[in-house]
Amino acid sequence: MMPEQEIATREKQEVQGAEKTRAGRYFVPAVDIRENENELKLWADMPGVAEKDVEVSLNDGMLTIIGKVSPAVYDKLSPLYTEYNVGNYFRQFELNEDVDETRIKARMRNGVLEVELPKRERARPRRIEVTTA
Amino acid sequence: MALIRWEQFDPVGSMLALQEELGRALRNPAFNLGLSAYGAYPPINLFDDGEGLVVMAELPGVEPASVNLVVQRNTLTLTGSRPRDEAKEPGAFHRREREFGEYSRSIQLPEGLDLEKTSARFEAGVLTVKIPKSPEAKPRQIAVESA
């Protein structure tokens, strides 16, 4: 077995491009995407986001992920020293694969979003019975 | 009175951005904060909540029970590992941005904390450690008697 690698921190990147109508900071979550013949699976690191504050949607082949952090956590805290920024998460992917929207599943566990995107079953060849008159 | 909405004002965002700038200046080795090198994992934020010190660390994908937290002689040490969660299933990766592996982090705590009363919580991938000030370090109101 390979020795476990040590983790290094990467600074959070703020979302570039089209501005959101709602102000507040949005960061790009780190994502893994894996594909096999049956499905696409996506994981996104979104620490600080509770299950109820995640939004996953698929619109015209565009997968959108939004995670909101609760500002209430920081209500009575004054920072002494900070190494990471706190903000919401936003990321979009255009899906090339034909995904069955009705079977998408998403769950949140320990600050990681996991999305299962099953591929649509191919239309099966149908045999047409030929009957004699 | 004008109502300031959170989304417009975003005090945490601007506050942390300012702190980030400050932090950059303080990362200069001329300042000794007793903190590990920048870029160490997990990233840590320190706060004062009025009652004492609050240490927060982002550890997404880590099982709460696997976090090893030790406080000893004014040093708080945080160790553990984040195992890959998707290794067993077949398939090809299109993206692989998340980090896995072992982590270890120590920070020096300031004086005047009641380490016995340290409490920790892990929620949604964020570890929060609270260490209250020791009674001696809290401001005490002294009643002034008239003669």
Side-chain angles (χ1 to χ4, degrees):
Chain A
M1 217 180 107
M2 264 193 356
E4 280 254 52
Q5 187 192 321
E6 259 194 50
I7 314 178
T9 299
R10 288 198 222 131
E11 206 167 321
K12 285 187 192 175
Q13 298 302 310
E14 233 176 304
V15 172
Q16 306 290 320
E19 271 190 77
K20 310 238 92 199
T21 46
R22 276 204 198 187
R25 306 180 91 182
Y26 280 84
F27 295 99
V28 182
V31 160
D32 284 358
I33 301 174
R34 199 205 52 212
E35 181 179 359
N36 61 30
E37 54 188 24
N38 303 317
E39 58 167 16
L40 272 168
K41 215 162 172 182
L42 179 149
W43 295 265
D45 282 355
M46 302 198 290
V49 177
E51 210 164 66
K52 59 173 176 48
D53 300 319
V54 184
E55 235 182 274
V56 179
S57 60
L58 183 62
N59 242 326
D60 286 333
M62 183 73 90
L63 179 75
T64 305
I65 295 165
I66 298 171
K68 300 255 171 77
V69 292
S70 164
V73 174
Y74 296 91
D75 264 357
K76 286 174 186 157
L77 303 181
S78 49
L80 300 170
Y81 170 83
T82 65
E83 290 177 350
Y84 68 89
N85 265 296
V86 177
N88 303 320
Y89 298 92
F90 175 85
R91 196 137 178 198
Q92 278 189 324
F93 292 100
E94 217 173 289
L95 301 179
N96 307 317
E97 293 74 17
D98 201 5
V99 166
D100 185 349
E101 287 150 54
T102 59
R103 285 162 56 218
I104 295 178
K105 273 188 215 157
R107 62 177 197 140
M108 199 70 195
R109 194 177 146 77
N110 294 332
V112 178
L113 171 73
E114 191 179 311
V115 189
E116 280 177 40
L117 304 147
K119 292 183 190 171
R120 220 183 282 278
E121 280 186 42
R122 301 241 174 268
R124 284 193 204 125
R126 266 166 58 201
R127 198 191 166 98
I128 317 285
E129 292 276 331
V130 180
T131 50
T132 49
Chain B
M1 199 186 88
L3 203 84
I4 298 171
R5 290 196 52 197
W6 168 263
E7 285 88 353
Q8 292 157 4
F9 186 50
D10 191 16
V12 167
S14 44
M15 175 179 87
L16 290 178
L18 174 71
Q19 284 294 318
E20 205 177 18
E21 290 306 314
L22 274 172
R24 255 179 218 131
L26 292 171
R27 244 169 269 140
N28 185 317
F31 294 87
N32 187 5
L33 279 171
L35 284 144
S36 307
Y38 183 75
Y41 191 92
I44 283 172
N45 282 349
L46 300 181
F47 298 93
D48 182 346
D49 69 348
E51 301 290 309
L53 186 73
V54 180
V55 182
M56 288 174 97
E58 288 193 333
L59 285 163
V62 164
E63 287 298 324
S66 78
V67 178
N68 189 11
L69 183 71
V70 177
V71 180
Q72 190 185 26
R73 283 214 200 150
N74 287 346
T75 303
L76 182 143
T77 307
L78 189 61
T79 51
S81 78
R82 178 184 188 188
R84 288 203 168 270
D85 49 8
E86 57 350 40
K88 290 145 219 148
E89 299 160 60
F93 278 92
H94 295 309
R95 309 240 169 184
R96 216 158 198 188
E97 301 165 354
R98 299 185 308 147
E99 304 258 11
F100 300 91
E102 294 186 349
Y103 59 85
S104 172
R105 192 84 210 261
S106 298
I107 61 167
Q108 295 293 317
L109 300 171
E111 293 291 316
L113 294 174
D114 192 350
L115 303 183
E116 294 286 317
K117 294 214 173 84
T118 303
S119 64
R121 235 157 60 90
F122 191 86
E123 210 180 331
V126 179
L127 175 74
T128 306
V129 183
K130 287 190 178 180
I131 313 172
K133 284 177 195 160
S134 56
E136 304 89 68
K138 276 185 191 156
R140 207 171 305 165
Q141 188 84 42
I142 314 291
V144 178
E145 289 170 49
S146 56

